[in-house]
Amino acid sequence: MGPKTRILDATMLVFRRHGFRRSSIEQVAEAAGLTRQALYHHFESKETLFRAVIERVHESAIAAEDTAIAEAEAAGSDLGDILATGMTARMSTMIGSLDGSPHLEELYSEHLVHARDLFQTYAARYAERMVATVARVVRKQQLALPQDLTPAEFARLVEMSIHAAKSQYPAMQPAEAFLKDMAIIVRTLCAGAKPKFKSKSLPKPQKPSVKRAAIPKRPTRRTTGGHP
């Protein structure tokens, strides 16, 4: 394990335990088994450490989402399951990085204060990847999106579903309920995607016609002289 990896592991541990405001460079150095001077050789401030940790969390989330989507596609899942599985993997990774911390809300708020540019950068990357996934699955499965939406428009709605779920679960807690509701929203949105071409139905088999046997005509009686 390289020194940077060891420092970032220690940083995450310290931030989870103390939050951002009460954490210090000294605490991180001690947790990493380094001197303060050795830590400064790699990171110049607590804010720099915080940004590096956030970046690592996002990269891990992207990797988890990509893996989950690839596996779901390979299994032949439908659009709703593919997107819900990918987003669940992404958000689970983020939540797991801070799991058990009593400072979740503080860390999320400081994330926007000290790394708003990173938040915007990764939000754009998530959106781009979502558009690519929707476009690929729609093409492969020959789907028509609801309301004639483009993949970009539809992907935007799917990403918005995360924010809708977050509004009900501050700091994405409780995690299990948040992830469940988010997946339901995604699958509901995707339920409107239908196959472009209806499968041609086979003609109904014709019932065999039954020929009725000809009924012989009854012979007519001839009369002579008007008497039988």
Side-chain angles (χ1 to χ4, degrees), residues 88-109:
T88 298
R90 182 208 305 180
M91 303 310 297
S92 295
T93 300
M94 291 184 174
I95 294 169
S97 66
L98 299 172
D99 188 37
S101 173
H103 306 284
L104 276 174
E105 293 190 30
E106 178 203 338
L107 291 169
Y108 282 125
S109 64

Side-chain angles (χ1 to χ4, degrees), residues 147-161:
Q147 305 295 320
D148 293 326
L149 294 171
T150 65
E153 292 168 337
F154 188 77
R156 178 173 173 271
L157 293 179
V158 175
E159 286 291 337
M160 286 172 64
S161 69

Side-chain angles (χ1 to χ4, degrees), residues 85-151:
T85 299
M87 293 180 76
T88 298
R90 182 208 305 180
M91 303 310 297
S92 295
T93 300
M94 291 184 174
I95 294 169
S97 66
L98 299 172
D99 188 37
S101 173
H103 306 284
L104 276 174
E105 293 190 30
E106 178 203 338
L107 291 169
Y108 282 125
S109 64
E110 293 295 334
H111 171 198
L112 296 178
V113 172
H114 298 285
R116 180 171 291 275
D117 60 318
L118 285 179
F119 173 80
Q120 293 171 340
T121 296
Y122 280 99
R125 285 185 63 184
Y126 290 129
E128 289 171 1
R129 300 170 89 82
M130 179 65 68
V131 172
T133 299
V134 172
R136 184 176 61 253
V137 175
V138 164
R139 184 178 64 254
K140 285 183 178 180
Q141 299 186 5
Q142 296 187 329
L143 300 174
L145 294 173
Q147 305 295 320
D148 293 326
L149 294 171
T150 65

Side-chain angles (χ1 to χ4, degrees), residues 195-217:
K196 282 184 180 179
F197 309 105
K198 293 182 179 179
S199 58
K200 294 182 179 179
S201 55
L202 295 174
K204 292 182 179 180
Q206 297 292 328
K207 291 183 179 179
S209 57
V210 179
K211 292 185 177 181
R212 294 183 179 181
I215 301 175
K217 294 182 179 180

